[in-house]
Amino acid sequence: MAAKIKVENIMKKKILNSINGIVLEVLFRGFCVLYREDSRVREEIDGWDKNLSLKLVCGPGGAVLAMRKSQHHGLARQKRAQRAAITMRFKSAWGAFRVLRLRKRLHQLTGLPVTLEQAGVDPARFPEVANAALNDGAVIVNPRQVTYRAVIRILEICYGKQRA
């Protein structure tokens, strides 16, 4: 009986891992389509350092999507990303989905603002904020070079003027 339960658990884990792999494959293809079709996404990815790699992991010992910037196609799969610059680890694909939807749900439940505009931030202060960010000591250890234009763009996106 115990052996049967163990086999069922192993099978369940393999099936979930396969499903997570499919979800990550769809996500990767979505990134590629967005790179081709959306100039904002293309501009963001083209601004990445040429050695930047990103790794998404679903489940402990589960499916992994590793990608890097590609000169010709925007993004390319990376066979091994042992030292990815950015790693996002989720317990499951469902966990990843829940995290990505959290901001909207928190707003619905609490009424907390989700944009700088909703929080009452004055966009006229963006240059002051950008300069303060550029003069912050944490900028030195950022793996990506921070520019004034990039900080302003992030603030505009967070304000709601532009889409990410």
Side-chain angles (χ1 to χ4, degrees):
M1 184 77 160
K4 183 179 178 184
I5 293 172
K6 187 174 181 179
V7 169
E8 287 176 359
N9 286 339
I10 291 171
M11 292 301 291
K12 182 179 176 182
K13 187 174 180 178
K14 284 183 180 184
I15 290 169
L16 286 174
N17 198 30
S18 294
I19 291 170
N20 289 341
I22 292 167
V23 169
L24 291 176
E25 177 64 25
V26 169
L27 183 62
F28 175 75
R29 289 181 185 202
F31 279 135
C32 292
V33 168
L34 284 172
Y35 179 82
R36 285 193 311 270
E37 304 295 328
D38 190 324
S39 62
R40 296 166 299 185
V41 173
R42 191 169 35 259
E43 180 183 332
E44 172 63 28
I45 293 172
D46 286 346
W48 290 0
D49 182 73
K50 68 179 181 176
N51 297 318
L52 182 78
S53 59
L54 172 68
K55 182 166 67 171
L56 304 175
V57 182
C58 279
V64 175
L65 168 62
M67 56 187 147
R68 61 175 172 73
K69 180 179 174 182
S70 166
Q71 282 190 291
H72 305 294
H73 302 23
L75 291 171
R77 269 191 203 84
Q78 198 169 6
K79 297 255 189 252
R80 296 181 185 262
Q82 298 297 326
R83 294 183 175 199
I86 301 169
T87 299
M88 293 191 293
R89 192 173 304 276
F90 300 99
K91 289 185 178 181
S92 66
W94 177 244
F97 175 75
R98 288 173 55 198
V99 167
L100 297 174
R101 294 200 29 110
L102 181 62
R103 183 180 82 154
K104 181 179 179 182
R105 186 73 178 130
L106 280 174
H107 175 67
Q108 290 171 339
L109 291 172
T110 65
L112 289 172
V114 292
T115 67
L116 292 176
E117 181 179 29
Q118 291 171 351
V121 174
D122 181 4
R125 298 200 61 196
F126 286 179
E128 178 185 343
V129 173
N131 285 324
L134 291 172
N135 290 318
D136 188 279
V139 169
I140 295 169
V141 295
N142 195 334
R144 184 170 169 194
Q145 184 178 0
V146 180
T147 65
Y148 179 83
R149 183 175 165 264
V151 174
I152 293 293
R153 182 166 184 270
I154 290 167
L155 291 169
E156 288 173 345
I157 290 168
C158 293
Y159 188 80
K161 284 186 179 179
Q162 296 181 5
R163 295 187 66 168

XYZ file of all heavy atoms in Angstrom, residues 30-70:
318
model
N 5.419 33.960 -25.264
C 4.765 35.258 -25.111
C 5.772 36.390 -25.067
O 5.581 37.438 -25.693
N 6.878 36.195 -24.330
C 7.941 37.201 -24.305
C 8.459 37.470 -25.716
O 8.682 38.616 -26.100
C 9.118 36.739 -23.429
C 8.935 36.935 -21.952
C 9.267 35.915 -21.077
C 8.465 38.120 -21.424
C 9.122 36.064 -19.712
C 8.315 38.292 -20.055
C 8.649 37.260 -19.195
N 8.666 36.406 -26.484
C 9.196 36.551 -27.846
C 8.228 37.319 -28.741
O 8.637 38.181 -29.526
C 9.516 35.180 -28.440
S 10.903 34.360 -27.626
N 6.937 37.013 -28.631
C 5.933 37.718 -29.426
C 5.892 39.191 -29.023
O 5.862 40.082 -29.882
C 4.539 37.070 -29.271
C 3.446 37.955 -29.855
C 4.523 35.699 -29.926
N 5.902 39.455 -27.722
C 5.897 40.843 -27.269
C 7.126 41.591 -27.766
O 7.039 42.762 -28.125
C 5.830 40.908 -25.738
C 4.463 40.618 -25.135
C 4.563 40.506 -23.615
C 3.459 41.686 -25.530
N 8.275 40.922 -27.797
C 9.488 41.566 -28.298
C 9.301 41.983 -29.762
O 9.672 43.081 -30.160
C 10.699 40.637 -28.163
C 11.960 41.267 -28.697
C 12.690 42.147 -27.912
C 12.400 41.017 -29.987
C 13.842 42.749 -28.388
C 13.548 41.616 -30.477
C 14.264 42.482 -29.682
O 15.393 43.082 -30.164
N 8.713 41.090 -30.547
C 8.511 41.397 -31.970
C 7.435 42.460 -32.189
O 7.556 43.294 -33.074
C 8.111 40.138 -32.739
C 9.235 39.186 -32.994
C 8.862 38.122 -34.027
N 7.586 37.478 -33.769
C 7.418 36.368 -33.031
N 8.466 35.799 -32.490
N 6.227 35.849 -32.861
N 6.372 42.437 -31.395
C 5.188 43.243 -31.670
C 5.084 44.550 -30.880
O 4.372 45.447 -31.298
C 3.917 42.412 -31.402
C 3.847 41.122 -32.184
C 3.746 41.334 -33.682
O 3.149 42.348 -34.107
O 4.293 40.491 -34.419
N 5.743 44.643 -29.744
C 5.574 45.806 -28.871
C 6.891 46.555 -28.741
O 7.848 46.052 -28.154
C 5.071 45.339 -27.496
C 4.631 46.495 -26.608
O 5.254 47.578 -26.668
O 3.671 46.305 -25.841
N 6.933 47.761 -29.259
C 8.183 48.535 -29.262
C 8.672 48.825 -27.843
O 9.875 48.928 -27.613
C 7.991 49.847 -30.028
O 7.002 50.647 -29.406
N 7.755 48.925 -26.876
C 8.174 49.196 -25.503
C 8.928 48.012 -24.916
O 9.948 48.180 -24.244
C 6.958 49.521 -24.635
C 6.245 50.801 -25.083
C 4.906 50.896 -24.454
N 4.121 49.736 -24.887
C 2.849 49.558 -24.596
N 2.222 50.413 -23.851
N 2.198 48.499 -25.025
N 8.440 46.814 -25.198
C 9.120 45.608 -24.717
C 10.466 45.469 -25.426
O 11.485 45.171 -24.809
C 8.242 44.350 -24.948
C 9.010 43.083 -24.618
C 6.963 44.443 -24.121
N 10.465 45.717 -26.734
C 11.708 45.634 -27.512
C 12.740 46.630 -26.973
O 13.902 46.297 -26.795
C 11.402 45.896 -28.984
C 12.530 45.583 -29.913
C 12.139 45.593 -31.389
N 11.143 46.569 -31.781
C 9.852 46.313 -31.990
N 9.383 45.101 -31.846
N 9.012 47.260 -32.356
N 12.299 47.841 -26.676
C 13.217 48.858 -26.144
C 13.787 48.425 -24.796
O 14.976 48.582 -24.533
C 12.471 50.188 -25.994
C 13.320 51.313 -25.464
C 12.520 52.592 -25.260
O 11.511 52.796 -25.970
O 12.910 53.383 -24.392
N 12.940 47.855 -23.943
C 13.398 47.394 -22.624
C 14.438 46.287 -22.758
O 15.512 46.350 -22.173
C 12.202 46.904 -21.797
C 12.591 46.230 -20.507
C 13.322 47.122 -19.526
O 13.114 48.342 -19.527
O 14.132 46.580 -18.751
N 14.122 45.265 -23.551
C 15.042 44.130 -23.696
C 16.316 44.554 -24.401
O 17.407 44.123 -24.025
C 14.347 42.953 -24.411
C 13.238 42.391 -23.499
C 15.341 41.860 -24.789
C 12.352 41.354 -24.149
N 16.202 45.414 -25.407
C 17.403 45.893 -26.098
C 18.314 46.689 -25.168
O 19.512 46.775 -25.392
C 17.018 46.739 -27.318
C 16.495 45.897 -28.470
O 16.669 44.658 -28.454
O 15.879 46.477 -29.387
N 17.744 47.255 -24.100
C 18.539 48.012 -23.134
C 19.257 47.140 -22.120
O 20.077 47.637 -21.354
N 18.929 45.835 -22.098
C 19.591 44.927 -21.157
C 21.058 44.770 -21.512
O 21.437 44.821 -22.687
C 18.954 43.545 -21.196
C 17.583 43.436 -20.639
C 16.819 44.437 -20.100
C 16.783 42.251 -20.593
N 15.606 43.936 -19.713
C 15.557 42.612 -19.999
C 16.993 40.942 -20.983
C 14.547 41.688 -19.809
C 15.980 40.026 -20.777
C 14.778 40.389 -20.194
N 21.871 44.534 -20.520
C 23.266 44.195 -20.732
C 23.328 42.920 -21.567
O 22.500 42.019 -21.403
C 23.951 43.969 -19.381
C 25.414 43.655 -19.526
O 26.181 44.583 -19.844
O 25.777 42.476 -19.338
N 24.309 42.807 -22.459
C 24.361 41.651 -23.367
C 24.532 40.321 -22.642
O 24.201 39.282 -23.177
C 25.464 41.825 -24.410
C 26.867 41.777 -23.849
C 27.895 41.924 -24.941
C 29.287 41.837 -24.362
N 30.283 41.874 -25.391
N 25.020 40.336 -21.419
C 25.223 39.097 -20.668
C 24.111 38.808 -19.660
O 24.209 37.854 -18.899
C 26.568 39.150 -19.930
C 27.721 39.243 -20.900
O 27.732 38.571 -21.925
N 28.672 40.097 -20.594
N 23.069 39.639 -19.654
C 21.996 39.449 -18.679
C 21.238 38.159 -18.952
O 20.884 37.854 -20.083
C 21.012 40.618 -18.721
C 19.890 40.525 -17.692
C 20.406 40.925 -16.316
C 18.727 41.390 -18.075
N 21.015 37.396 -17.899
C 20.204 36.193 -18.023
C 19.127 36.223 -16.945
O 19.301 36.805 -15.889
C 21.067 34.938 -17.884
O 21.712 34.930 -16.634
N 18.013 35.597 -17.262
C 16.856 35.575 -16.385
C 16.414 34.130 -16.234
O 16.367 33.388 -17.211
C 15.733 36.406 -17.013
C 14.360 36.380 -16.380
C 14.382 37.062 -15.026
C 13.358 37.078 -17.281
N 16.121 33.740 -15.003
C 15.706 32.361 -14.761
C 14.435 32.369 -13.929
O 14.360 33.004 -12.888
C 16.820 31.604 -14.043
C 16.505 30.144 -13.779
C 17.731 29.331 -13.380
C 18.314 29.688 -12.065
N 19.360 28.767 -11.600
N 13.420 31.643 -14.425
C 12.179 31.432 -13.695
C 12.130 29.968 -13.314
O 12.327 29.099 -14.154
C 10.967 31.777 -14.560
C 10.925 33.188 -15.151
C 9.721 33.330 -16.071
C 10.880 34.227 -14.053
N 11.870 29.699 -12.053
C 11.847 28.325 -11.550
C 10.485 28.076 -10.912
O 10.039 28.852 -10.072
C 12.960 28.089 -10.504
C 12.952 26.649 -10.020
C 14.323 28.470 -11.063
N 9.827 27.004 -11.322
C 8.533 26.618 -10.738
C 8.703 25.328 -9.968
O 8.980 24.284 -10.546
C 7.476 26.430 -11.821
S 6.760 27.964 -12.377
N 8.536 25.408 -8.678
C 8.595 24.218 -7.833
C 10.011 23.850 -7.464
O 10.946 24.075 -8.227
N 10.187 23.266 -6.293
C 11.526 22.815 -5.898
C 11.956 21.659 -6.803
O 11.252 20.672 -6.925
C 11.339 22.363 -4.445
C 9.874 22.170 -4.270
C 9.175 23.006 -5.288
N 13.070 21.839 -7.475
C 13.539 20.824 -8.418
C 12.644 20.710 -9.632
O 12.674 19.722 -10.346
N 11.830 21.752 -9.874
C 10.834 21.701 -10.940
C 11.293 22.335 -12.239
O 12.480 22.506 -12.492
N 10.306 22.688 -13.027
C 10.559 23.255 -14.352
C 11.319 24.572 -14.237
O 11.102 25.356 -13.320
C 9.234 23.468 -15.068
N 12.217 24.786 -15.200
C 13.035 25.994 -15.226
C 12.975 26.594 -16.620
O 13.070 25.882 -17.618
C 14.512 25.669 -14.883
C 15.383 26.900 -15.031
C 14.626 25.083 -13.492
N 12.795 27.906 -16.665
C 12.910 28.646 -17.914
C 14.074 29.594 -17.746
O 14.032 30.479 -16.884
C 11.630 29.421 -18.226
C 11.727 30.451 -19.360
C 12.077 29.767 -20.682
C 10.440 31.222 -19.490
N 15.113 29.382 -18.507
C 16.280 30.261 -18.462
C 16.394 30.932 -19.821
O 16.310 30.275 -20.859
C 17.540 29.463 -18.153
N 16.528 32.233 -19.814
C 16.642 32.968 -21.071
C 17.666 34.075 -20.930
O 18.036 34.465 -19.827
C 15.281 33.507 -21.485
C 14.583 34.379 -20.497
S 12.919 34.754 -21.076
C 12.097 34.841 -19.519
N 18.111 34.526 -22.080
C 19.101 35.598 -22.123
C 18.772 36.496 -23.303
O 17.985 36.128 -24.179
C 20.508 35.033 -22.274
C 20.693 34.255 -23.547
C 22.121 33.778 -23.765
N 22.185 32.888 -24.897
C 22.076 33.237 -26.169
N 21.879 34.504 -26.484
N 22.142 32.353 -27.139
N 19.400 37.646 -23.313
C 19.231 38.566 -24.429
C 19.910 37.971 -25.659
O 21.010 37.434 -25.576
C 19.850 39.915 -24.089
C 19.716 40.932 -25.189
C 20.335 42.239 -24.777
C 20.336 43.218 -25.936
N 20.969 44.477 -25.571
N 19.231 38.057 -26.794
C 19.784 37.586 -28.056
C 19.920 38.773 -28.995
O 19.014 39.596 -29.084
C 18.856 36.537 -28.683
O 19.193 36.297 -30.023
